[in-house]
Structure formats: structure tokens, C-alpha cells
Amino acid sequence: AQKVTQAQTEISVVEKEDVTLDCVYETRDTTYYLFWYKQPPSGELVFLIRRNSFDEQNEISGRYSWNFQKSTSSFNFTITASQVVDSAVYFCALSPSNTGKLIFGQGTTLQVKP
Amino acid sequence: SQTIHQWPVTLVQPVGSPLSLECTVEGTSNPNLYWYRQAAGRGLQLLFYSVGIGQISSEVPQNLSASRPQDRQFILSSKKLLLSDSGFYLCAWSGTGFSEYEQYFGPGTRLTVT
């Protein structure tokens, strides 16, 4: 079965705190892609990152960083020094090999308070 | 650059009425196109995807249908809406080659069936 689990439904932090959003996935494929998307209140999904299953290097982009661990089937997302503008729903997604389809988790609502 | 448009932005329709949502992509050729539904402000469910004109794959049996009359146009339809069709409908596109698996989303259409 192909599945993505985001166990944290809602997270609330105060501005400048670091926060980690968890994502655990299930797949039997050896080749697959993992994604994170941000959905601000406007509703449009914004692409943040794609990772393929053969690249376990962690990635950092400004205040954002991603930790991919195949051993635990996790692809966690950390925001450093959070800001109010980071408030949104964040989705983790899995794309099995050669399908082009995205399987989304249920999302984590992040609220950053000033 | 590529842009994706959806209309209408919001729609209120009575049960049993027909539906037509339109999605168009600019700045790319032969994109893969997708329709998703997000119910209750949470996870996204893939409804249809298309890899070319006239080629539609359905993911979930329902009273909705999709068509792709032109390369960059994707239409979601229903002959008779149900209350359960209410939700936020998102269209997405992806390219081919290295970026094939990154999907870029439109602004969405919020549908309320009354």
C-alpha cells in the first residue's frame, strides 16, 4: 500500500521558534519521489521541495531544511526561526515510480504566533 | 514562465445542477494535467489525470467526469451535483523529463453544493 502519514494535525509555536513537521511514508517501490507543499490561507498549493529515493542528502534552503531517512521511511521538514508568514497547512506527498501521481498526507496546520 | 488558471474562483450550485470547471495552462506544451479535490479543508484526493488530448484516467468512481479538448485545457464536469461534491477543486500540471514529478497547482475553485 502507498500511504503518507502526517501525525501532527496542528502545531502552534511562537515566532522565532524552530519547528519540525513529521512525515512518514509507505511504499514498496524502490524508486519514488517525496514532496513538501505549502498551502497558505489563499488555498493555492506552493511547491517547496522534491526528493528522489536515491538521494538521502539533507537539504537546506534558507530557513527551511529537510531530513530524509529511508531507514525510518521519514521525510521531515524543519523551519528555523519561524515567522508569522510561515503559518499555513503543510502537505507531504509521495509519488510512486513512473506514475506522476501524488499521494498526499492529511496535512499539518502550522500557526506561528507573533 | 508557466502559469495555470482556474475558473470560476467560487461557485454555489444547487443539488442536481450541472457543473463545469475549467483549467488552462500557459507557457508549456503537452503538460500532464490533474484534478484534485480537497474536502473539509484537509487532504487532497486525485480525481483525474491526463497525459494528452483526449486521454483521461479516473482515480475515483464518482459522478464527475473530465475532458481535455485542447493540449492545455482541462475541464471537470458533472451532469448532476451531489451535496458530497462540495469542496475545493485544484487543477495541477507537470512537465516531462527531469521535472516530470513536480506538480504545480492553480488557485483552485471553491464549490458549495446547496
Side-chain angles (χ1 to χ4, degrees):
Chain A
Q2 322 265 15
K3 186 180 177 182
V4 175
T5 302
Q6 295 179 254
Q8 305 150 308
T9 304
E10 293 184 17
I11 300 176
S12 181
V13 299
V14 176
E15 207 168 18
K16 297 185 182 176
E17 285 185 18
D18 298 348
V19 58
T20 296
L21 309 182
D22 298 333
C23 173
V24 174
Y25 62 93
E26 295 176 30
T27 181
R28 293 179 184 171
D29 291 350
T30 55
T31 302
Y32 51 89
Y33 294 80
L34 295 166
F35 301 81
W36 276 95
Y37 283 87
K38 174 182 179 180
Q39 187 177 40
S42 61
E44 182 174 345
L45 266 76
V46 178
F47 167 76
L48 296 177
I49 190 173
R50 178 193 63 195
R51 247 329 184 222
N52 74 55
S53 53
F54 297 106
D55 183 1
E56 287 194 71
Q57 238 181 346
N58 292 333
E59 181 155 340
I60 298 174
S61 176
R63 296 184 297 107
Y64 295 171
S65 62
W66 290 270
N67 183 282
F68 176 29
Q69 292 193 350
K70 286 180 76 170
S71 60
T72 56
S73 296
S74 65
F75 186 42
N76 297 337
F77 173 30
T78 297
I79 302 175
T80 302
S82 59
Q83 300 176 2
V84 173
V85 293
D86 295 327
S87 298
V89 181
Y90 290 87
F91 289 96
C92 181
L94 164 71
S95 182
S97 174
N98 296 325
T99 66
K101 305 176 190 178
L102 288 177
I103 300 165
F104 283 88
Q106 291 302 296
T108 297
T109 300
L110 173 64
Q111 184 181 31
V112 181
K113 299 178 181 177
Chain B
S1 64
Q2 300 85 8
T3 55
I4 180 169
H5 304 279
Q6 285 186 246
W7 63 88
V9 174
T10 60
L11 191 60
V12 180
Q13 292 282 96
V15 169
S17 64
L19 173 73
S20 181
L21 303 181
E22 190 165 341
C23 170
T24 59
V25 181
E26 295 177 355
T28 186
S29 297
N30 195 31
N32 294 336
L33 296 172
Y34 309 83
W35 277 112
Y36 290 86
R37 177 169 59 201
Q38 185 177 27
R42 195 44 80 179
L44 289 91
Q45 180 183 42
L46 178 63
L47 301 176
F48 301 94
Y49 70 95
S50 171
V51 298
I53 295 175
Q55 300 178 62
I56 309 294
S57 296
S58 174
E59 289 294 300
V60 181
Q62 58 213 326
N63 70 320
L64 299 172
S65 62
S67 62
R68 185 170 176 175
Q70 300 180 38
D71 181 44
R72 290 169 290 179
Q73 183 184 32
F74 205 22
I75 297 172
L76 183 69
S77 304
S78 173
K79 292 181 179 178
K80 289 185 178 182
L81 283 169
L82 307 173
L83 284 174
S84 58
D85 291 324
S86 292
F88 189 50
Y89 288 82
L90 287 155
C91 180
W93 74 273
S94 68
T96 56
F98 185 71
S99 64
E100 180 176 356
Y101 298 109
E102 292 171 24
Q103 293 184 21
Y104 298 93
F105 287 78
T109 295
R110 200 165 300 278
L111 171 66
T112 304
V113 182
T114 60

